[in-house]
Amino acid sequence: MHTPGPFFFAPLFAIDPPPLGDAHVACVGIDLKGHVDAWRQAALPWASAGEQERAARFHRHLDAVRHLVGRALARALLARELGVARLSGEFVGNPWGKPGLPDCGIEFSISHSGDAVWVALCRGVAVGIDVESRDAVADPHALAEVFHPSERAALLALPAAEAQDAFLRCWTRKEAVVKALGEGLSRPLASFCVETGEVERNWLVEAPRGAAASWTVADLPAAAGYRVSVAAPAPGLTITWHY
Ligand SMILES: CC(C)(COP(=O)(O)OP(=O)(O)OC[C@H]1O[C@@H](n2cnc3c(N)ncnc32)[C@H](O)[C@@H]1OP(=O)(O)O)[C@@H](O)C(=O)NCCC(=O)NCCS
């Protein structure tokens, strides 16, 4: 039996987040900046054959590395929690493409944007995490069309510069919820509502129809130029982050 403890992606990249407790959402973030190829090398031994093949098909090198590092980080964290040296086999996607490891009792979510890669894990409760780079937002007022009427009204009331930050807050929060549900774009973004203002927690105003009524949601500290949100459909979970 492998003893859970600090694990090492490579000598340069020791990662030692706290162990995953019950009622706990553990989030781990990586900044690839300046070390993209070193991270690729560190991730490769953890990635499955399918993940390595998929990475080889990306046109952009950074997209391939983000995919590998996200999957490798999820695998390394899961292996540590499950007390095994490494995970063999492929993750199984749900009907909308969310990867999972069936029957292990741990749910996880992966997100990447720019140089940032994040993974969230939770025992027995679905979880969604989303990181976005500020560069991703082109025209916040136009993009707000797809949001809930209250979110849209709040964004349209702001001047463009402030609307950009508010849009990004709204986006990562909504995407974290959608990713926890695992339904991708089939869940209309107007069918639930989040705060657009600067609150770190409890920003889910109206839960998605048909889903749990009480959620644990939070924004996490992130590198300059990035926003990260996490969501899980159960109340009172403790959220920790390691970055
Ligand atoms: C996949 C999706 C859920 C997230 O995409 P994204 O924000 O572009 O990318 P992220 O890096 O955050 O997430 C991608 C990862 O999510 C995971 N994923 C894929 N499908 C998923 C799904 N249906 N649910 C949850 N996670 C999913 C995968 O791990 C994927 O990365 P990987 O293949 O490298 O492992 C997206 O396609 C989507 O459907 N978004 C929902 C709504 C939306 O467009 N919101 C925009 C503004 S609110």
Side-chain angles (χ1 to χ4, degrees), residues 196-219:
T196 58
E198 292 187 53
V199 285
E200 279 173 18
R201 290 182 178 249
N202 302 324
W203 40 248
L204 186 59
V205 178
E206 188 183 319
R209 271 177 236 125
S214 294
W215 288 57
T216 302
V217 297
D219 294 345

Side-chain angles (χ1 to χ4, degrees), residues 8 30 74 83 90 110 112 121 135 154 157 167 177 181 192 195 201:
F8 296 87
I30 285 176
E90 302 293 335
I110 301 170
H112 24 62
L121 267 70
D135 299 342
F167 176 86
V177 170
L181 296 172
F192 63 99
E195 292 271 2
R201 290 182 178 249

Side-chain angles (χ1 to χ4, degrees), residues 215-240:
W215 288 57
T216 302
V217 297
D219 294 345
L220 307 179
Y226 290 87
R227 285 202 59 84
V228 185
S229 300
V230 65
L237 306 178
T238 299
I239 297 177
T240 60

Side-chain angles (χ1 to χ4, degrees), residues 51 54 58 63 66-68 70-71 91 94-99 108-113 127-132 146-147 167 170-175 178-187 189 192:
E51 289 158 358
R54 205 169 308 123
F58 281 103
D63 290 339
R66 283 194 301 234
H67 175 67
L68 283 173
R71 295 298 184 103
F91 288 143
N94 80 355
W96 299 276
K98 182 175 184 176
F108 67 91
S109 176
I110 301 170
S111 185
H112 24 62
S113 178
V127 63
I129 193 160
D130 191 58
V131 57
E132 297 289 348
V146 295
F147 287 167
F167 176 86
C170 194
W171 176 310
T172 58
R173 290 168 184 174
K174 290 184 86 69
E175 185 106 344
V178 165
K179 291 181 75 178
L181 296 172
E183 298 168 8
L185 292 168
S186 67
R187 167 70 60 166
L189 293 173
F192 63 99

